[in-house]
Amino acid sequence: MEPQALAFEERGSGPTLLFVHGFPLHAGMWKAQVAGLAKTATCVAVDLRGHGMSDAIGVEGATIDLFADDLAATLDELGTDQVDLCGLSMGGYVALAFWRRHRARVRSLILADTKAEADSDEAKAGRDATAKLVTDEGLAPLWEKLRGVLLGESPSDEVVARAGEIILSTPPATAAAVALAMRDRVDSTPDLAEIDVPVTWVHGAEDKLMPIAGAEASANGMKDATLISIPKAGHLSPLENPDAFNDAVRAHLARVRG
Ligand code: MLT
């Protein structure tokens, strides 16, 4: 399948900071980052293939590697050589694939509420069930399942509403295809020790889907990585505590820029 340039929101000036959303979300999850960090960087938040305003052509059968190649095609269109790349959860899987496939274009990585490991057999079976669920019944039952685990201990009504609004806007065919793409992603753990750019793992302290201890262990095994914990936030830390998340990004970029 051919890589395609993606829809994106762009704001700010300075070196490009590229945001990649999680599953089953879209670029709108980065609203507070794009607004809050525009004085620090040129913030570009993409809608992955089939999400938000991006074309859905080729979403069926898409892979995490193809999503990474779509990022490269988007940078080509923007005329941008190198980026600081921030991916949340599935966006982190894409960021790690992008490093494998396009590493010369990566100035640094922010890995938010994500992990390097591939799916276990049990998780793979869960992906098949998710694909069937959304195909048969749409996103509503998936959101019902996710709302208790995606957010921290006491999310505000506003954050719950925003997460639900974004998730329920995702086309079922996209969610089904992406569940299978995540099922089939490769293990990125062997890459961790090889990554030679500055890395910050940013993780909600209350993340129930991917407990923060995993991110800490991953950061410890890398050449130049640090971990920043986001208080009062679960898996969707940029939405749940945007001020702390944005401070973490500023600290990361200050480190990168020396
Ligand atoms: C995400 O937030 O992108 C998903 O939780 C990732 C996953 O299901 O592995």
Side-chain angles (χ1 to χ4, degrees), residues 32-84:
Q33 282 65 50
V34 171
L37 295 165
K39 290 205 175 84
T40 310
T42 301
C43 297
V44 176
V46 292
D47 285 323
L48 291 174
R49 185 185 289 243
H51 301 76
M53 304 294 282
S54 280
D55 214 322
I57 292 170
V59 76
E60 231 170 281
T63 60
I64 295 296
D65 283 354
L66 179 67
F67 287 156
D69 293 349
D70 287 348
L71 295 186
T74 309
L75 296 185
D76 290 345
E77 192 158 288
L78 281 164
T80 302
D81 281 345
Q82 244 199 352
V83 293
D84 300 293

Side-chain angles (χ1 to χ4, degrees), residues 9 17 29-30 50 75 83 86 117 120 129 153 178-179 210 222-223 243:
E9 191 191 346
L17 170 57
M29 65 157 284
W30 300 110
L75 296 185
V83 293
C86 174
E117 294 79 15
S120 63
E153 304 300 338
V178 174
M210 299 182 191
M222 298 181 77
K223 289 191 172 104
D243 289 344

Side-chain angles (χ1 to χ4, degrees), residues 133-148:
L133 179 70
V134 295
T135 303
D136 292 349
E137 298 177 47
L139 270 287
L142 180 61
W143 168 232
E144 282 313 311
K145 275 176 72 174
L146 287 178
R147 61 188 295 161

Side-chain angles (χ1 to χ4, degrees), residues 123-235:
K124 284 182 199 286
R127 302 297 190 192
D128 293 333
T130 297
K132 181 165 173 16
L133 179 70
V134 295
T135 303
D136 292 349
E137 298 177 47
L139 270 287
L142 180 61
W143 168 232
E144 282 313 311
K145 275 176 72 174
L146 287 178
R147 61 188 295 161
V149 284
L150 264 191
L151 302 166
E153 304 300 338
S154 43
S156 68
D157 292 346
E158 194 191 335
V159 164
V160 177
R162 183 69 185 134
E165 182 190 350
I166 295 174
I167 288 173
L168 292 170
S169 77
T170 299
T174 294
V178 174
L180 302 183
M182 290 194 291
R183 176 195 66 188
D184 296 337
R185 76 186 187 278
V186 302
D187 183 11
S188 295
T189 47
D191 299 317
L192 294 184
E194 301 296 316
I195 294 176
D196 53 0
V197 295
V199 178
T200 301
W201 294 75
V202 182
H203 215 94
E206 300 169 0
D207 191 331
K208 301 168 206 159
L209 267 186
M210 299 182 191
I212 191 168
E216 197 172 359
S218 294
N220 285 340
M222 298 181 77
K223 289 191 172 104
D224 184 9
T226 186
L227 168 76
I228 299 178
S229 166
I230 305 298
K232 297 193 176 64
H235 189 63

